[in-house]
Amino acid sequence: MKKINDIDLFSSFGIILVSFGWMAVFLAVLSLFTKGFLVGASLIAVVTLGYAIFLFQRHSRPSLDFSLVLIFSLFAVMLFSHFTVPTVFSGRDQGSLSNAAISLSENHSLKSSFPAEKQFFQIYGPGQALNFPGFYYTKDGSLISQFSLGYVAWLAAFFTLFGLSGLIVANAFSFFLFLLSFYVVSRNYLEKKAALIAFLLVGTSFVFSWFFKFTLTENLALGLLWFGLAQFLLFWEKETRINLFACILSFGLLLFVRIEALAFLSVIALLFFLKYKHKKQQFKKIFIQKEIIILFILIFIAFISSLFLNSAFYVTIAKGFLSSLSFYKHNFSGSSLPFSGTIYLLRVFSLYAILTYIALAIIALGYFLKKKNYPILLPFFILLPTFIYLLNPSISLDHPWMLRRYLFAVIPVSILYSIIFLKDFLKKNILFYVFSGFLLLTNLLIFFPFLGVKENPTLLSQIENISLDFQADDLILVDRNATGNPWAMMAGPLNVIFGKQAVYFFNPDDLKKIDLTQFKKVYLIIPDNNLDAYEKSELLKNVIIVKSYSLENFALNEIDRTKKELYKTPVTFPPYLKNYTYGKIYLLKK
């Protein structure tokens, strides 16, 4: 029986986890997303992993460095999970993704429909569902997420198994896979001590601990991308078919999570072409095999199916791409200083201790190109397309929100190549360790102040108390600022978690266009400081006050950057403040 080592066990774990993600995607595509299938798949995964661990313990002992990585990775995911609150509030991507996942879990299908949604579909028709942020109306009047199928299915699988905590568990598994994969990639180019330093710098970087708290596609992309990279490098060196299989499996699933996967796969295809252009027989022996061909066919079928089932995602991507072509025109038009947007981005990178890594990585690229050391740059070549975001981030410039664009590729590969460059360039070890210590210190100065920050820690329980005032057949129209934070609206959890007919309400004229007789009662939830928005309509004359409500919430306060030139805008950490919101619940008189 073949002995297995640390890397084999790591690969086995990753293949099992990625296969679980694929299973979730196919169940979603087939509208068979039930707890029975998921529990069965989980049991198979656990038994398979247990058998792999048994074989490992029987024939091998874990190396000291990999044991340290495992311990630190487990500690990191448990620590980050402790300071994370499920992001289920609608208004921004993380809430919409969570709501879509919960809806998939409960409806067993990507599409969902309920009476309130049907009424507003009659007004707006197919297309973007303005009253349900992050969703589109299909032609038959159902709701479907505008986000990627892969991450929605991933979240839904863990929600089905663990409830709301599953949203945290989903990110924990992906981040754990990322940490292990990053170390395996690092060990491909660095000796153990230097690889452990690179690993430690990633584990203490602010961006990873911060975005772990949110249900954003970048979190799953982290695990898939770096596991795929690790398997690519293992295959490149040893040409073992299982590593090729794992690489394709991981990058294939990434196609259903981030559109950048198309660029990564294009670079990988080019690298394979260059490697085997004069080795046709070897190429056929490795790639023209039954299991590889079947895998490609399954990925192709799933991708084509998603084009039809999840067309809203591709429409959103296309619109985003077109708008990005005029990014500077719309976002930096108020500036009189050339390249002020780029200067602003650099200042943000500096604030969050990222700029040094990016600068060193770019220097490393030129340094190794000059030395014609191309093999060492393979991960850089694959991830190079994402460096376009340094010129055009195509995202709101609020920070730290904007840093999500650089989370899964630019920042980790920059940290990796910073250490690779320093280790090669600084001939004396003492200089390398001093510089690395400085980088670690700058990490920790940002890492610790934000580690314990919880966004909206008690908001869900307060919304649950409000939900008790309504029945399942009532229509609840919720103002965007009902919680005091337009990025954390209560309409989403009222609907998908507490089972109410809740709708984000922004146009009083819509009340004249829907059939109110379909609902027992019609309520409005409006904060006191936003009544002006309704005074021009006759709406307030036709309501009676049912009760007052108040909410206490903790969150980072966003900074309005629309009224100043970017190069004049102070770049400081947004404050973490307690906010109070007061409002009233109104009953519409029929």
Side-chain angles (χ1 to χ4, degrees), residues 36-237:
F37 280 119
L38 291 164
V39 169
S42 300
L43 289 175
I44 294 172
V46 169
V47 170
T48 305
L49 181 60
Y51 181 66
I53 294 173
F54 168 76
L55 291 180
F56 174 76
Q57 290 181 332
R58 186 177 179 182
H59 298 288
S60 305
R61 285 187 176 183
S63 60
L64 177 60
D65 61 310
F66 208 80
S67 296
L68 290 173
V69 168
L70 279 172
I71 293 169
F72 183 89
S73 299
L74 285 170
F75 175 75
V77 296
M78 289 190 291
L79 181 66
F80 297 172
S81 296
H82 176 71
F83 293 113
T84 298
V85 177
T87 50
V88 295
F89 309 102
S90 48
R92 222 164 196 179
D93 292 1
Q94 61 264 31
S96 297
L97 281 158
S98 293
N99 289 179
I102 296 170
S103 177
L104 171 58
S105 174
E106 294 178 343
N107 295 289
H108 317 302
S109 172
L110 290 169
K111 295 182 180 181
S112 63
S113 185
F114 48 95
E117 171 268 325
K118 286 288 188 183
Q119 290 298 316
F120 283 87
F121 170 73
Q122 298 300 323
I123 301 174
Y124 294 99
Q128 190 171 8
L130 299 176
N131 300 92
F132 303 92
F135 289 83
Y136 268 66
Y137 291 119
T138 63
K139 290 183 179 179
D140 65 359
S142 300
L143 285 177
I144 191 167
S145 175
Q146 73 178 46
F147 294 101
S148 60
L149 166 62
Y151 190 54
V152 170
W154 177 262
L155 289 175
F158 286 95
F159 175 83
T160 302
L161 295 172
F162 301 103
L164 276 178
S165 297
L167 302 178
I168 302 173
V169 175
N171 280 352
F173 268 107
S174 180
F175 189 66
F176 183 71
L177 180 62
F178 160 68
L179 288 176
L180 298 184
S181 302
F182 182 87
Y183 180 72
V184 171
V185 173
S186 300
R187 280 291 286 124
N188 200 69
Y189 300 110
L190 295 165
E191 48 88 16
K192 290 181 181 179
K193 289 183 180 179
L196 286 171
I197 288 173
F199 173 79
L200 189 60
L201 290 176
V202 159
T204 58
S205 177
F206 156 80
V207 288
F208 302 110
S209 61
W210 179 251
F211 286 104
F212 182 99
K213 303 173 190 285
F214 303 95
T215 44
L216 294 168
T217 56
E218 286 84 355
N219 285 301
L220 180 54
L222 259 178
L224 293 176
L225 175 59
W226 285 86
F227 179 70
L229 277 176
Q231 296 303 310
F232 169 83
L233 293 174
L234 290 171
F235 169 78
W236 191 270
E237 180 182 348

Side-chain angles (χ1 to χ4, degrees), residues 277-325:
K277 65 178 180 178
H278 300 305
K279 305 175 183 177
K280 293 183 180 180
Q281 291 302 319
Q282 192 174 359
F283 176 85
K284 290 180 180 179
K285 182 179 178 181
I286 295 172
F287 289 89
I288 312 302
Q289 297 295 324
K290 181 171 63 176
E291 61 269 26
I292 301 297
I293 293 173
I294 291 174
L295 181 58
F296 274 119
I297 291 173
L298 289 175
I299 292 173
F300 179 76
I301 291 173
F303 186 72
I304 294 300
S305 299
S306 74
L307 287 176
F308 292 96
L309 291 173
N310 198 27
S311 59
F313 167 64
Y314 299 99
V315 170
T316 302
I317 290 295
K319 289 181 178 179
F321 174 75
L322 291 175
S323 65
S324 71
L325 297 178

Side-chain angles (χ1 to χ4, degrees), residues 389-405:
Y389 291 137
L390 296 177
L391 301 176
N392 184 356
S394 299
I395 193 173
S396 166
L397 293 180
D398 299 329
H399 64 82
W401 171 257
M402 59 164 287
L403 296 177
R404 63 176 287 201
R405 188 65 80 227

Side-chain angles (χ1 to χ4, degrees), residues 562-583:
T562 60
K563 299 179 181 179
K564 298 180 180 179
E565 294 186 347
L566 284 174
Y567 75 96
K568 294 181 180 179
T569 304
V571 180
T572 57
F573 294 118
Y576 180 64
L577 300 174
K578 179 188 290 189
N579 300 299
Y580 295 94
T581 301
Y582 302 94

